[in-house]
Amino acid sequence: YFLYSVCAWGYGMWREKVLNVKDLDREEMRRDKRTLSKIKKRSYQLYDILMSDLYKDRYLNDARIGYLMARDNLVSVFPTASLVKNTGHDGTGLHCKENEFFQAQEKDDSFRPKKFPLEIAMNKDIEKKMKTYTRTTLKNALRSRLKLMYLKGLRVVGGKS
């Protein structure tokens, strides 16, 4: 299936299309309100991570790939059956809590994609489920908004705006 989303656990590009995301200009990205609005609508989680990149001295490759995907209307391609067993949600990871759904996920060794679809079509049910899965709580949204206002305020006060 196709999804207007970046896969933060890994991504691939064609060699002739490789782009160093550190070369993206932060000021230009900050001014690109159309793309930022699109990202915020699709995934507040990605928007929050991207804001952390744009207003701090750090580069977050997955957030920048997500920015490019939204700007250029690109999609990620996912298999409809798992090709890996996800073991990152067993409670031992740095950022991941224990999650029974992912614990029970099994790798499907019999799944062999035979052909790539000729047309890109979004599955609204999958989009809705992903949006529900990644939505943020009101508390976290407010915390993120306050943090962003603080970071933007520091830039103005510090003369970097």
Side-chain angles (χ1 to χ4, degrees):
Y1 64 92
F2 300 98
L3 197 61
Y4 285 116
S5 174
V6 64
C7 179
W9 295 286
Y11 52 85
M13 294 183 203
W14 281 261
R15 185 171 305 178
E16 54 278 352
K17 302 281 184 179
V18 170
L19 171 69
N20 184 352
V21 293
K22 286 186 177 183
D23 291 342
L24 293 170
D25 181 75
R26 276 194 171 114
E27 289 301 323
E28 187 177 310
M29 292 169 69
R30 285 186 197 117
R31 287 190 304 267
D32 186 358
K33 302 298 182 200
R34 185 183 67 78
T35 300
L36 295 177
S37 176
K38 193 186 298 186
I39 291 169
K40 190 174 185 179
K41 181 179 177 189
R42 289 180 183 166
S43 171
Y44 197 85
Q45 189 178 48
L46 175 59
Y47 178 80
D48 188 38
I49 294 167
L50 183 60
M51 291 300 104
S52 181
D53 177 299
L54 295 181
Y55 291 95
K56 289 185 179 180
D57 289 329
R58 58 196 241 177
Y59 292 94
L60 302 171
N61 285 351
D62 51 350
R64 287 171 170 247
I65 291 292
Y67 168 83
L68 287 174
M69 290 180 69
R71 185 191 73 186
D72 298 341
N73 290 315
L74 303 175
V75 296
S76 288
V77 180
F78 297 90
T80 55
S82 181
L83 302 176
V84 298
K85 177 155 175 57
N86 187 338
T87 59
H89 289 272
D90 61 358
T92 61
L94 181 61
H95 300 292
C96 300
K97 305 272 188 270
E98 191 168 340
N99 184 314
E100 289 182 24
F101 173 78
F102 288 115
Q103 287 282 35
Q105 182 181 20
E106 292 296 325
K107 179 179 168 190
D108 184 354
D109 289 322
S110 66
F111 179 69
R112 296 282 184 261
K114 293 184 177 33
K115 65 179 183 174
F116 198 81
L118 295 176
E119 292 184 29
I120 294 176
M122 297 298 151
N123 182 315
K124 297 295 181 191
D125 187 46
I126 291 174
E127 282 184 298
K128 184 179 177 182
K129 286 178 182 178
M130 288 301 293
K131 193 163 184 118
T132 299
Y133 178 75
T134 62
R135 87 172 155 234
T136 189
T137 63
L138 178 60
K139 178 181 168 184
N140 286 343
L142 289 172
R143 182 183 299 141
S144 295
R145 183 60 57 120
L146 289 171
K147 184 170 73 173
L148 180 58
M149 288 169 51
Y150 173 75
L151 291 171
K152 286 182 175 181
L154 285 179
R155 290 184 47 72
V156 171
V157 172
K160 294 182 181 179
S161 65

